[in-house]
Amino acid sequence: MSSSNPDRVPFVDLYAQYLTIEPEIDEAIASVIRESAYVRGRQVESFERGWAELLGVKYCVSCANGTDALYIAMRGLGLKPGDEVITTAHSWISTSETITQAGGRVVFCDTDDTFTIDPARIEARITDRTVGIIPVHLYGQPADMDPIMAIARKRGLWVIEDCAQAHLARYRGQLVGTFGQAATFSFYPGKNLGAYGDAGCVVTHDAALADWMSLFARHGGKGDHVMEGINSRLDGMQAAVLNVKMKHLERWNQLRREEAGRYDELLRGLPGVVTPGVAPNREHVYHLYVIRTDRREGLRAHLKAAGIDTVINYPKALPFYPAYAYLGHRPEDFPVAHANQSRILSLPIYPEIGADRVARVAKCVGEFTGATA
Ligand SMILES: *Cc1c(COP(=O)(O)O)cnc(C)c1O
């Protein structure tokens, strides 16, 4: 629940959003209980249809979370032991850990100024074992899909878009999740479209892939196990919540864009603060608003003292975590991602934050840069 301190700015406030849709959500949850449709059922089917329709894709296969979605998609695309998959050095670990889980080898690629995979560096990472590319539309900004898809077509690779942070973001007017062979979504509570627990899905235009993935995610078939699978299902309650929230998503994203625009304006020109740029032809949905500064720790402490929560997404680029020490990477292998890891800071942003709180955060950032410049 929101703090009673009116000056406090939480990083996100999911309760504030609930209050704006309380009757709809309460009725949706009650309907699941009335129908005892706890796992799968009517709400789940309606979610799969609704989400596919909203994106303009043919198939949506729901599952338990966005990490499973990546694993299911890679198994569906037939990843074999030793196959290499190229992905971005800057993401949440789900993107890379599932490559390993599915039997593949992780090959990292540096990012560009948009925090997404740098297409100019992909080809140098391709070997005769490379089978696919996983771009991540990080923080809500689409990766540069035209050159990525061109490389994939030329080299015969599949593309899975990790859309966990970019629900309804657009690249040249086209929704992310519609470019590659498959795309995955997370509906973790804090995501732009968030359930009230874990939830995820894979979308695709490919009927055979969709069929395989939905069998695989449900023990290889009910009644007749045509293969061994896993248990990764969406709850009826989560689907019911998503069905309600889906209708508000475009408006919530618009509010995020307005708030980001306000931050851009108020932070512009502050010494030592770089606001997040948006590349041409991309529509950002600001899952996160990430600035860069060389004096991050001081700024973070200053904001904390003023009751403003910030987060670092993420403290290290993936290749530099102990989990990937075996790859033996050095900072110069990923200069952009490495330089960003000590400079990035996510400021509070959520649809209900309001102009006053954005102004208060920006004012505190300004005080810090002024006071210590
Ligand atoms: C949240 C997230 C995931 C994983 O989603 P879960 O639902 O938490 O499993 C995957 N990739 C990225 C980029 C994410 O931000």
Side-chain angles (χ1 to χ4, degrees):
M1 202 186 287
S2 308
S3 157
S4 51
N5 173 2
D7 284 343
R8 194 176 159 256
V9 185
F11 190 67
V12 290
D13 189 344
L14 298 178
Y15 188 65
Q17 178 168 88
Y18 166 69
L19 291 177
T20 69
I21 50 173
E22 183 174 358
E24 284 178 277
I25 290 284
D26 290 1
E27 168 48 31
I29 290 175
S31 78
V32 175
I33 298 171
R34 277 198 302 271
E35 297 167 29
S36 302
Y38 296 113
V39 174
R40 302 286 305 163
R42 181 174 69 84
Q43 285 85 355
V44 172
E45 281 158 27
S46 143
F47 166 75
E48 289 180 336
R49 269 196 313 274
W51 188 240
E53 216 165 273
L54 194 55
L55 291 179
V57 293
K58 288 210 182 105
Y59 307 99
C60 168
V61 177
S62 62
C63 63
N65 57 67
T67 309
D68 279 4
L70 285 157
Y71 175 73
I72 292 164
M74 270 184 269
R75 291 295 308 271
L77 288 164
L79 198 73
K80 293 186 305 299
D83 284 351
E84 294 178 358
V85 178
I86 297 173
T87 193
T88 171
H90 188 158
S91 184
W92 174 243
I93 194 169
S94 298
T95 318
S96 52
E97 70 184 349
T98 48
I99 296 171
T100 312
Q101 278 164 24
R105 291 193 199 170
V106 181
V107 177
F108 289 115
C109 180
D110 205 7
T111 47
D112 63 21
D113 198 44
T114 65
F115 301 111
T116 64
I117 193 167
D118 182 352
R121 295 179 199 247
I122 291 177
E123 293 217 75
R125 310 293 288 145
I126 295 177
T127 72
D128 54 14
R129 289 173 145 159
T130 309
V131 296
I133 308 172
I134 308 184
V136 180
H137 307 302
L138 199 75
Y139 303 155
Q141 172 155 216
D144 197 359
M145 292 312 293
D146 278 353
I148 293 170
M149 294 310 298
I151 293 165
R153 269 192 297 273
K154 185 170 86 179
R155 306 294 290 257
L157 310 176
W158 50 249
V159 171
I160 299 173
E161 295 170 73
D162 182 341
C163 305
Q165 302 190 2
H167 313 75
L168 303 189
R170 289 175 173 85
Y171 178 89
R172 293 191 196 286
Q174 183 180 339
L175 287 170
V176 301
T178 63
F179 288 85
Q181 275 68 20
T184 61
F185 287 87
S186 164
F187 305 107
Y188 179 80
K191 300 286 163 84
N192 286 32
L193 178 58
Y196 287 177
D198 277 313
C201 76
V202 189
V203 299
T204 181
H205 298 300
D206 180 334
L209 177 60
D211 282 347
W212 192 93
M213 293 191 299
S214 56
L215 274 180
F216 179 71
R218 291 172 251 297
H219 302 291
K222 199 172 175 181
D224 189 16
H225 304 293
V226 298
M227 62 185 174
E228 289 182 327
I230 61 171
N231 178 18
S232 186
R233 297 182 294 223
L234 181 62
D235 290 358
M237 287 221 200
Q238 303 312 337
V241 167
L242 292 170
N243 288 336
V244 169
K245 292 182 72 174
M246 202 191 291
K247 294 180 285 189
H248 302 279
L249 180 58
E250 199 72 85
R251 181 171 55 83
W252 286 334
N253 281 345
Q254 184 52 34
L255 287 168
R256 286 174 184 269
R257 272 191 291 275
E258 285 166 22
E259 290 149 6
R262 237 171 247 135
Y263 269 133
D264 286 346
E265 208 170 288
L266 296 169
L267 300 176
R268 188 176 301 136
L270 291 184
V273 173
V274 181
T275 54
V278 185
N281 299 313
R282 295 186 225 186
E283 195 175 64
H284 202 312
V285 293
Y286 293 99
H287 172 57
L288 295 169
Y289 186 89
V290 180
I291 62 167
R292 279 165 283 181
T293 171
D294 289 331
R295 293 180 294 159
R296 179 178 69 188
E297 301 318 320
L299 173 58
R300 214 178 169 207
H302 179 79
L303 293 172
K304 181 90 210 153
I308 297 165
D309 294 340
T310 58
V311 174
I312 297 168
N313 305 92
Y314 301 91
K316 287 182 185 180
L318 289 170
F320 307 118
Y321 281 108
Y324 294 107
Y326 72 92
L327 292 173
H329 282 303
R330 301 192 307 177
E332 52 270 35
D333 297 336
F334 309 101
V336 177
H338 186 265
N340 282 336
Q341 71 181 24
S342 53
R343 305 179 68 220
I344 48 174
L345 185 65
S346 308
L347 302 181
I349 192 165
Y350 50 93
E352 301 76 20
I353 191 171
D356 292 350
R357 288 196 199 85
V358 168
R360 185 169 138 65
V361 175
K363 185 162 163 272
C364 277
V365 175
E367 272 164 21
F368 176 78
T369 59
T372 60

